[in-house]
Amino acid sequence: MNQPVPAAASPANAQQRYEVRRADLPLSCPQPSMALWNSHPRVYLPIEADGGTAQCPYCGATYVLVD
């Protein structure tokens, strides 16, 4: 019996800088569209409270609010 193939997901933590929009909030790292199997635990980042930028304490990825 064939197993269904999951939808493609972007790799987690593949970049060091990500641009996000208000529609993406609440912001978490890794983001919901990223594959989680080889990543760190999900952490929510207070990007609005931090002046429009936030850095993940696990992987160091920087998120920038662009709108």
Side-chain angles (χ1 to χ4, degrees), residues 8-48:
S10 64
N13 317 113
Q15 303 175 46
Q16 284 300 306
R17 185 176 187 276
Y18 296 91
E19 292 184 350
V20 294
R21 302 192 178 284
R22 293 191 188 280
D24 299 324
L25 301 180
L27 175 63
S28 65
C29 184
Q31 293 182 312
S33 63
M34 296 176 177
L36 299 176
W37 66 270
N38 65 346
S39 192
H40 58 72
R42 179 168 286 152
V43 60
Y44 287 89
L45 305 171
I47 194 165
E48 290 179 301

